[in-house]
C-alpha cells in the first residue's frame, strides 16, 4: 500500500452532486489513511457543456467539505488556471498531445483503426439491429479497409474517428476490490471510439492515458462506471501498461428506492451548505453511504474517520440517502461544538438576517448558546435568537392560547411592577422573585411563566425563562410587558 495515488476526476458541466462528493470523500480518506496522494483532475473534454463556473463550483464544494487535494488546478489567475503538482496539466483539454501520441502508437501497431462511418450510417445500422433484435454494436465494417480504400474515402471529404480493436470472443475480467471478480463477455462488447472525428479523445481513452501518466494506483469511483471497465482494461493491454486497482462504490438511492435525483431534494453539495449543514456532519454522513466499520459506528471525529476508513468496509448493495438522518447527525455535531465555533459557523446566517452588525459579540454568543441543544441546522440559529435583538413579533397561536386566557393581564401588570423594582436583574434573583410572586398570588408557576415568556419573546417555547430574561435586560423586558398588555387591551 506504499506510494498510493488516487484521483477524483469530475466533469465541469454543473455542480458537485452528492454522488460525486461521496466519491471524492472516499478517495480523499483512502489517500489520507495510507499517506498517499489525492489528485483533482478536471475532465473537460465535453467542450460544449464544460464551464469555468462549474470548475469554480467544484472547487468551492471541495473546499467547504475540507477535501484538500495534493495535486490539481488552483484558483484562476489572470484568466488562466494555475496548478500544483508535477503530473499536470490537470485539465484534459490541456493534455491533447498525450492522447494524440497514444492514438498514433495504437494505429502504428494495428491495435486501432480509422473508422469513416457517418452518423447517419451508424444510426441506420443501430436501427436495423434493433428491428432484428440483435445486440446493438458496431459491426467492424472499417476494420479491414486497405490503404487505397482509406485514401478514396478521405478524397470524398470523409472525416474519421479512431476505434480500438476489441476481441470477438472470450471474456474481459477485472478483480474489483469491492465486488470481487467481474467478467464481461467480449461478444457483447464492440470496437469503441477512442478519438472523435473532431480530434478530441473520448472519456474512456483519455482517463486511461491520464491515469497511467499520473501514476494512479487505485481508481475508486461510482458503480455507473463499472461498464466502462472492460473497455479500459483492453486499452491498458493495448498500450502495454499495467492497470490500476479498481473499486466501484455502491449506487446511492433515494428513500423510495429510485436512484437519487433532484426529486428527492437537493443534490448539489453547495445547496446543503446554504441550508445550514456543517461540513464535518456532511463528511460523516457521506462516509456512511456504502461503507461501515465492523461495529457499525455512526459518529466519527474528523481524525477518527480518516484513521478507520478502509475499502474492505465498502458494501456492494445500494446505499439510501436519508435527509432525516443527515439532519439528525448535523444536530448532533452542532450540539458538540464549542460556543465560539458555533457562532463562527452561524455567522453568515446571522448576518443574512441582520443579526451581526452593531451587536456586542458577548451578547450574541450568549444568545446563540442558549438553545444549542435544539438546533438541527445552522439556519435555525437566527430564527431562535432574533427576538433578543429585533422588535418582538408575537406568534398568533401563542397569543390566542396563552395571553388571551382570563386573568393574564393582571398577572402581567403585577410582573411589570415587580420587575420594575427589582435591583439585581440576573437569573437567580429573578427566579426567586417571580416564584415568590406566584406564591403570593396563589398561582401555579406555569400560569405565570407561560404568559411571561410569550409577552417578552413572542413565542411559547424557548430557552430557560430566567436566563432568557436576564439576557434580554430589564429595559427590554419592561417594554415588552407593556406592549403585550396593550395588545390585550386592543383585543378586548
Amino acid at each position: 500500500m506504499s506510494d498510493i495515488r488516487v484521483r477524483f476526476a469530475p466533469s465541469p458541466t454543473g455542480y458537485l452532486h452528492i454522488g460525486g462528493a461521496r466519491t471524492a470523500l472516499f478517495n480523499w480518506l483512502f489517500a489520507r489513511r495510507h499517506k498517499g496522494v489525492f489528485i483533482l483532475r478536471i475532465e473537460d473534454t465535453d467542450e460544449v457543456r464544460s464551464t469555468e463556473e462549474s470548475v469554480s463550483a467544484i472547487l468551492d464544494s471541495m473546499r467547504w467539505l475540507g477535501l484538500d487535494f495534493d495535486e490539481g488546478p488552483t484558483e484562476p489567475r489572470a484568466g488562466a488556471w494555475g496548478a500544483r503538482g508535477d503530473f499536470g496539466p490537470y485539465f484534459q483539454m490541456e493534455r491533447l498531445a498525450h492522447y494524440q501520441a497514444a492514438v498514433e502508437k495504437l494505429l502504428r501497431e494495428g491495435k486501432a483503426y480509422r473508422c469513416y462511418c457517418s452518423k447517419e450510417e451508424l444510426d441506420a445500422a443501430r436501427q436495423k439491429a434493433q428491428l432484428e433484435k440483435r445486440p446493438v454494436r458496431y459491426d467492424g465494417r472499417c476494420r479491414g479497409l486497405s490503404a487505397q480504400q482509406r485514401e478514396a474515402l478521405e478524397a470524398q471529404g470523409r472525416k474519421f474517428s479512431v476505434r480500438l480493436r476489441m476481441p470477438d470472443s472470450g471474456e474481459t475480467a477485472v478483480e474489483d476490490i469491492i465486488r470481487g471478480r467481474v467478467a464481461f463477455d467480449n461478444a457483447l462488447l464492440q470496437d469503441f471510439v477512442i478519438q472523435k472525428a473532431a480530434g478530441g479523445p473520448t472519456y474512456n481513452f483519455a482517463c486511461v492515458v491520464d491515469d497511467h501518466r499520473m501514476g494512479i494506483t487505485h481508481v475508486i469511483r461510482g458503480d455507473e462506471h463499472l461498464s466502462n471497465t472492460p473497455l479500459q482494461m483492453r486499452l491498458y493491454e493495448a498500450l502495454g501498461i499495467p492497470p490500476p486497482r479498481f473499486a466501484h462504490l455502491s449506487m446511492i438511492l433515494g428513500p423510495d428506492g429510485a436512484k437519487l435525483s433532484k426529486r428527492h431534494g437537493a443534490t448539489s453539495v453547495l445547496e446543503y451548505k446554504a441550508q445550514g449543514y456543517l461540513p464535518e456532519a456532511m463528511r460523516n454522513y457521506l462516509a456512511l453511504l456504502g461503507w461501515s466499520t465492523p461495529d457499525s459506528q455512526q459518529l466519527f471525529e474528523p481524525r477518527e474517520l480518516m484513521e478507520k476508513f478502509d475499502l474492505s468496509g465498502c458494501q456492494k448493495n445500494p446505499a439510501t440517502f436519508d435527509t432525516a438522518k443527515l439532519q439528525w447527525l448535523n444536530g448532533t455535531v452542532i450540539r458538540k461544538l464549542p460556543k465560539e465555533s458555533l457562532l463562527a459557523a452561524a455567522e453568515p446566517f446571522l448576518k443574512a438576517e441582520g443579526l451581526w452588525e452593531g451587536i456586542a459579540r458577548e451578547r450574541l454568543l450568549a444568545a446563540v448558546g442558549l438553545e444549542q441543544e435544539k438546533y438541527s441546522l445552522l439556519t435555525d440559529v437566527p430564527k431562535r435568537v432574533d427576538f433578543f435583538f429585533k422588535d418582538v413579533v408575537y406568534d398568533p397561536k401563542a397569543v390566542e392560547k396563552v395571553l388571551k386566557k382570563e386573568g393574564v393581564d393582571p398577572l402581567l401588570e403585577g410582573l411589570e411592577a415587580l420587575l420594575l423594582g427589582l435591583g439585581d436583574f440576573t437569573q437567580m434573583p429573578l427566579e426567586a422573585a417571580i416564584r415568590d410572586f406566584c406564591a403570593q398570588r396563589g398561582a401555579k408557576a406555569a400560569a405565570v411563566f407561560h404568559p411571561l415568556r410569550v409577552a417578552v419573546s413572542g413565542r411559547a417555547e424557548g430557552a430557560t425563562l430566567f436566563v432568557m430574561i436576564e439576557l434580554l435586560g430589564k429595559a427590554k423586558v419592561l417594554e415588552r410587558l407593556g406592549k403585550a398588555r396593550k395588545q390585550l387591551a386592543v383585543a378586548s
Side-chain angles (χ1 to χ4, degrees):
M1 299 295 282
S2 61
D3 302 321
I4 278 178
R5 291 174 62 84
V6 294
R7 49 74 166 176
F8 175 54
S11 297
T13 56
Y15 51 75
L16 179 62
H17 55 74
I18 289 297
R22 194 266 305 260
T23 297
L25 173 67
F26 280 28
N27 277 278
W28 180 80
L29 288 171
F30 187 71
R32 295 294 173 259
R33 163 81 188 273
H34 298 290
K35 297 180 172 57
V37 175
F38 175 53
I39 299 164
L40 174 65
R41 182 174 74 225
I42 304 297
E43 299 196 334
D44 59 342
T45 53
D46 186 341
E47 295 177 84
V48 175
R49 297 170 60 219
S50 296
T51 66
E52 287 202 3
E53 291 77 14
S54 293
V55 178
S56 295
I58 289 167
L59 287 173
D60 288 345
S61 299
M62 293 183 68
R63 189 181 298 111
W64 177 67
L65 285 169
L67 306 182
D68 56 313
F69 50 88
D70 305 297
E71 298 178 18
T74 57
E75 294 301 314
R77 293 183 178 87
W81 288 89
R84 63 171 179 266
D86 300 326
F87 293 82
Y90 295 94
F91 286 83
Q92 285 189 326
M93 289 305 290
E94 296 175 14
R95 301 177 61 82
L96 297 180
H98 297 314
Y99 313 136
Q100 189 59 43
V103 165
E104 289 170 4
K105 168 182 164 66
L106 293 172
L107 286 170
R108 233 180 7 254
E109 296 174 355
K111 296 173 181 177
Y113 60 91
R114 293 174 179 176
C115 174
Y116 296 88
C117 296
S118 67
K119 182 180 182 301
E120 292 73 21
E121 289 169 335
L122 293 173
D123 287 343
R126 187 179 299 110
Q127 289 170 7
K128 184 179 179 185
Q130 288 171 340
L131 287 171
E132 296 174 356
K133 297 184 178 178
R134 292 185 287 106
V136 178
R137 60 196 295 269
Y138 179 66
D139 59 12
R141 66 182 67 181
C142 291
R143 265 187 181 187
L145 292 177
S146 65
Q148 291 80 7
Q149 288 173 313
R150 290 198 300 271
E151 286 175 11
L153 288 166
E154 288 175 24
Q156 296 172 20
R158 288 258 192 162
K159 300 289 185 182
F160 63 83
S161 60
V162 177
R163 290 180 182 268
L164 184 76
R165 286 180 179 267
M166 293 286 281
D168 296 317
S169 60
E171 65 178 22
T172 300
V174 59
E175 290 294 336
D176 191 273
I177 295 172
I178 297 171
R179 297 167 187 278
R181 186 177 188 274
V182 184
F184 301 84
D185 184 354
N186 289 335
L188 300 177
L189 303 177
Q190 64 176 339
D191 293 353
F192 65 100
V193 175
I194 60 175
Q195 186 180 64
K196 293 174 274 191
T202 59
Y203 161 75
N204 282 307
F205 184 58
C207 78
V208 165
V209 173
D210 288 342
D211 285 347
H212 171 64
R213 296 190 70 92
M214 291 182 175
I216 301 302
T217 60
H218 294 73
V219 172
I220 305 167
R221 59 190 182 185
D223 73 340
E224 68 271 17
H225 290 289
L226 186 59
S227 60
N228 292 318
T229 310
L231 312 183
Q232 293 172 9
M233 291 294 285
R234 287 298 173 185
L235 272 168
Y236 281 109
E237 182 182 57
L239 290 167
I241 53 181
R245 298 288 310 280
F246 287 95
H248 288 89
L249 307 173
S250 62
M251 184 182 294
I252 302 177
L253 306 178
D256 60 356
K259 188 174 180 180
L260 189 68
S261 66
K262 286 183 179 180
R263 66 190 179 87
H264 295 112
T267 56
S268 162
V269 168
L270 293 179
E271 283 184 75
Y272 285 93
K273 176 185 178 183
Q275 288 176 11
Y277 287 91
L278 288 163
E280 51 267 50
M282 181 59 80
R283 282 199 308 270
N284 190 328
Y285 184 68
L286 289 175
L288 300 175
L289 294 178
W291 172 79
S292 65
T293 58
D295 60 352
S296 299
Q297 183 176 344
Q298 297 293 298
L299 297 170
F300 297 85
E301 296 297 329
R303 194 81 207 168
E304 186 184 20
L305 186 59
M306 201 181 296
E307 290 166 355
K308 292 190 174 183
F309 180 81
D310 194 81
L311 291 176
S312 62
C314 292
Q315 295 106 35
K316 303 176 192 177
N317 295 330
T320 300
F321 188 87
D322 183 352
T323 306
K325 183 173 179 180
L326 170 60
Q327 195 169 123
W328 164 80
L329 199 152
N330 197 65
T332 302
V333 175
I334 284 176
R335 286 188 284 279
K336 293 167 68 177
L337 287 177
K339 297 289 190 290
E340 285 284 355
S341 299
L342 173 59
L343 182 60
E347 180 179 341
F349 301 97
L350 291 164
K351 282 182 173 177
E353 297 298 327
L355 297 170
W356 193 266
E357 300 299 332
I359 300 174
R361 185 176 181 82
E362 295 74 21
R363 288 198 72 222
L364 202 50
L365 188 65
V368 167
L370 274 184
E371 295 192 80
Q372 186 166 354
E373 75 284 355
K374 294 179 182 175
Y375 303 138
S376 293
L377 302 167
L378 293 174
T379 46
D380 294 336
V381 178
K383 296 173 188 174
R384 288 188 172 272
V385 305
D386 57 356
F387 72 91
F388 283 105
F389 311 105
K390 292 184 173 182
D391 289 341
V392 66
V393 177
Y394 290 100
D395 175 11
K397 290 182 180 178
V399 171
E400 197 66 36
K401 185 178 178 181
V402 179
L403 289 189
K404 287 189 177 181
K405 276 189 174 180
E406 189 176 346
V408 165
D409 185 58
L411 286 176
L412 295 182
E413 183 181 19
L415 286 168
E416 202 173 358
L418 170 71
L419 297 177
L420 179 62
L422 197 63
D424 189 348
F425 214 78
T426 56
Q427 179 186 353
M428 292 182 67
L430 278 166
E431 183 172 3
I434 294 171
R435 287 191 182 279
D436 185 54
F437 174 84
C438 294
Q440 289 177 18
R441 294 284 180 118
K444 291 182 179 179
V448 176
F449 292 0
H450 291 332
L452 177 56
R453 176 185 295 281
V454 174
V456 300
S457 70
R459 54 197 70 177
E461 296 177 351
T464 303
L465 178 63
F466 306 106
V467 178
M468 180 183 76
I469 292 174
E470 177 184 344
L471 187 57
L472 276 167
K474 187 173 184 177
K476 193 164 285 187
V477 167
L478 291 172
E479 174 197 328
R480 290 183 179 180
L481 282 170
K483 182 175 181 179
R485 292 190 64 216
K486 284 178 184 175
Q487 282 209 353
L488 288 176
V490 170
S492 61

